Amino acid sequence: MSSNSNAVANGLAGAGGGIVAQIITYPLQTVNTRQQTERIDKKKKQPQTPSKRSGTTTGTLLQILQVVRSEGWGGLYSGLRPSLLGTAASQGIYYYFYQVFKNKAESIAAVRKARGLGDGTVGMFSWLVVAAIAGSLNVLLTNPIWVLVTRMQTQTQAERKIIEGKKQALLREASERSSIDSTLQEKLAELDSIKPHPYGTLQAACEVYSEAGITGFWKGIIPTLIMVCNPSIQFMIYESSSKHLRAKRSANKQGYKNVTALEVFLLGALAKLGATVSTYPLLVVKSRLQAKQEIGGNNLLRYSGLLSDTQRHNGNKLFYF
């Protein structure tokens, strides 16, 4: 099989596997994105909801139930179609370019060996560079799709904030008049009866374009490009832990230096956890940049990056809660 055929096969395999994983985990991704893009002006005292008082796991389950109750099961799958397209495109592009640059790196290593330089194998740093280049190309080409997915996942959340803002405005107006009449009750009841409707893909695209023009489709591109280092961090943690474990066994002179399958699994899980925790703030910044910026005309909820979190959003909790 030729090098190009290998690249296409890897791309198709990666796309197929990514689609299956995306369908299974999409409800959790939807809730996670809504939690990441929750923006509250910390100057306003707001009562805690049960999901915020509870632990993270309990809060996530409660939010899933809340979405199902208010929006139906379809609410958990808002933006699924462009997400599947994005997953197929991302996995396909990544594995295709990874194979292309891998073949190139191996060819360079073979040429160097023929010249008496090196042993013909590709070094670990070269593999990391190949992965980083493939990941960066993937990000640049597919970011518009993920902007649309984020908008569609968080649209009903934004609409609820708009409705809540209108209710608060009516109540403030009534308190200034020191009177609550039947008209106010009717208006509040009318607002309560409104159910937010999720966006379609075209509607989300039009909103992004009207808000920021063509560059709006590449919002969050900087933190996303930085997150390309996630696999490198994961590999570094895994290799360091594995090396430490082997060295410890060698020092104990037990005669068994190999790492078992269970230990490989646990080290891999630990490495993935460490990489995820270290880059999670970038994921939050990316999601908030891609979400709807002005909610009901409230510029206080406009998000412009890290400084916005430090100054206005969630106080010192910043990114993890």
Side-chain angles (χ1 to χ4, degrees), residues 234-272:
Q234 179 180 347
F235 176 80
M236 179 185 66
I237 296 175
Y238 176 83
E239 285 297 320
S240 299
S241 302
S242 178
K243 183 178 179 180
H244 177 74
L245 182 60
R246 288 191 176 94
K248 186 175 181 180
R249 285 182 174 170
S250 178
N252 291 337
K253 299 180 180 180
Q254 294 177 345
Y256 184 75
K257 300 179 182 179
N258 293 330
V259 181
T260 65
L262 177 61
E263 289 169 338
V264 169
F265 172 79
L266 293 176
L267 289 176
L270 175 64
K272 184 61 179 177

Side-chain angles (χ1 to χ4, degrees), residues 4-299:
N4 286 336
S5 297
N6 280 334
V8 172
N10 282 344
L12 292 175
I19 287 174
V20 173
Q22 186 77 345
I23 293 174
I24 294 173
T25 62
Y26 196 77
L28 289 175
Q29 293 180 36
T30 298
V31 171
N32 187 38
T33 301
R34 293 189 183 192
Q35 290 175 339
Q36 290 171 348
T37 56
E38 181 69 22
R39 288 167 287 173
I40 299 172
D41 186 354
K42 70 176 183 178
K43 294 178 182 179
K44 295 181 180 180
K45 300 291 184 178
Q46 298 206 13
Q48 287 186 319
T49 61
S51 63
K52 291 179 181 178
R53 287 194 300 264
S54 306
T56 303
T57 304
T58 306
T60 300
L61 293 175
L62 287 175
Q63 190 162 359
I64 290 175
L65 293 175
Q66 181 183 1
V67 171
V68 172
R69 185 168 57 250
S70 60
E71 304 173 32
W73 288 99
L76 293 173
Y77 290 91
S78 297
L80 178 62
R81 280 181 288 184
S83 175
L84 292 179
L85 173 62
T87 298
S90 294
Q91 297 294 324
I93 289 171
Y94 176 81
Y95 284 107
Y96 175 80
F97 281 111
Y98 181 84
Q99 187 67 42
V100 168
F101 290 114
K102 174 185 175 184
N103 294 338
K104 185 66 175 176
E106 289 174 341
S107 298
I108 293 174
V111 171
R112 286 174 55 83
K113 181 181 180 181
R115 295 176 178 176
L117 303 172
D119 58 0
T121 61
V122 180
M124 194 57 61
F125 178 75
S126 297
W127 287 131
L128 293 177
V129 171
V130 166
I133 294 174
S136 297
L137 287 172
N138 168 41
V139 167
L140 291 170
L141 293 173
T142 63
N143 197 75
I145 300 175
W146 298 115
V147 170
L148 297 181
V149 171
T150 301
R151 287 297 176 101
M152 294 172 72
Q153 287 177 331
T154 59
Q155 164 58 19
T156 53
Q157 182 184 38
E159 288 296 322
R160 284 198 189 90
K161 287 185 177 295
I162 292 173
I163 294 172
E164 186 62 29
K166 291 179 178 179
K167 289 169 64 177
Q168 293 296 329
L170 287 173
L171 291 172
R172 280 196 303 270
E173 184 180 346
S175 64
E176 290 172 0
R177 296 198 313 264
S178 300
S179 64
I180 299 179
D181 52 20
S182 59
T183 305
L184 174 63
Q185 297 293 346
E186 291 175 1
K187 290 181 178 179
L188 291 175
E190 182 180 353
L191 289 173
D192 286 333
S193 65
I194 297 176
K195 289 187 177 181
H197 297 288
Y199 269 174
T201 307
L202 182 59
Q203 189 177 1
C206 290
E207 183 187 79
V208 172
Y209 184 79
S210 63
E211 185 180 283
I214 195 68
T215 58
F217 292 96
W218 275 270
K219 281 189 173 183
I221 192 69
I222 300 301
T224 308
L225 283 172
I226 298 174
M227 281 195 297
V228 169
C229 71
N230 184 290
S232 301
I233 297 174
Q234 179 180 347
F235 176 80
M236 179 185 66
I237 296 175
Y238 176 83
E239 285 297 320
S240 299
S241 302
S242 178
K243 183 178 179 180
H244 177 74
L245 182 60
R246 288 191 176 94
K248 186 175 181 180
R249 285 182 174 170
S250 178
N252 291 337
K253 299 180 180 180
Q254 294 177 345
Y256 184 75
K257 300 179 182 179
N258 293 330
V259 181
T260 65
L262 177 61
E263 289 169 338
V264 169
F265 172 79
L266 293 176
L267 289 176
L270 175 64
K272 184 61 179 177
L273 177 63
T276 300
V277 170
S278 61
T279 59
Y280 189 78
L282 294 171
L283 181 61
V284 175
V285 171
K286 175 191 79 75
S287 296
R288 293 184 177 180
L289 285 170
Q290 293 176 348
K292 187 179 181 71
Q293 294 300 303
E294 291 184 17
I295 298 178
N298 187 355
N299 287 323

